[in-house]
């Protein structure tokens, strides 16, 4: 099931709290557009290990596709980085 884009970012952050530090790192790298083999090389692990981490991430976040992870991660990060009170970052 695709992520509900109306889901509050706090819910995603709550779910992310169940991810291990390694799973959080892999989620960040997936969201940045890296493939499993690239992530494995960057972290010094096999791409099979990356796949195993992703399966656990998908279960914990209740998603089933990497694009869902990207959408959720990017939406959450973008919302959390907005400046308060509409102040622009120029």
């Amino acid at each position: 099931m695709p992520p509900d884009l109306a889901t509050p970012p706090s819910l995603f952050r709550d779910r992310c709290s169940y991810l291990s530090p390694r799973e959080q790192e892999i989620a960040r790298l997936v969201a940045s557009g890296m493939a499993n083999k690239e992530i494995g090389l960057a972290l010094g692990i096999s791409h099979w290990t990356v796949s195993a981490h992703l399966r656990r991430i998908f279960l914990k976040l209740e998603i089933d596709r990497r694009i869902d992870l990207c959408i959720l991660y990017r939406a959450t990060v973008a919302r959390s980085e907005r400046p308060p009170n509409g102040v622009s970052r120029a």
Side-chain angles (χ1 to χ4, degrees):
M1 169 186 286
D4 179 1
L5 296 179
T7 299
S10 60
L11 178 59
F12 179 67
R13 277 194 296 275
D14 290 344
R15 289 181 188 167
C16 282
S17 69
Y18 296 113
L19 299 181
S20 71
R22 180 62 106 183
E23 290 167 344
Q24 291 176 22
E25 183 175 26
I26 289 172
R28 180 181 57 79
L29 294 173
V30 166
S32 76
M34 292 178 76
N36 289 7
K37 287 185 181 182
E38 294 172 313
I39 295 169
L41 285 172
L43 300 178
I45 59 178
S46 80
H47 67 281
W48 297 111
T49 303
V50 174
S51 293
H53 282 297
L54 281 173
R55 282 191 300 277
R56 284 192 301 278
I57 290 168
F58 291 168
L59 285 170
K60 290 178 180 181
L61 298 181
E62 300 176 8
I63 58 176
D64 56 10
R65 299 178 308 163
R66 125 188 238 116
I67 189 67
D68 296 338
L69 175 60
C70 294
I71 291 167
L72 285 170
Y73 188 89
R74 289 179 180 178
T76 301
V77 170
R79 288 178 185 164
S80 68
E81 290 180 351
R82 280 191 193 145
N85 301 325
V87 176
S88 98
R89 293 185 195 173

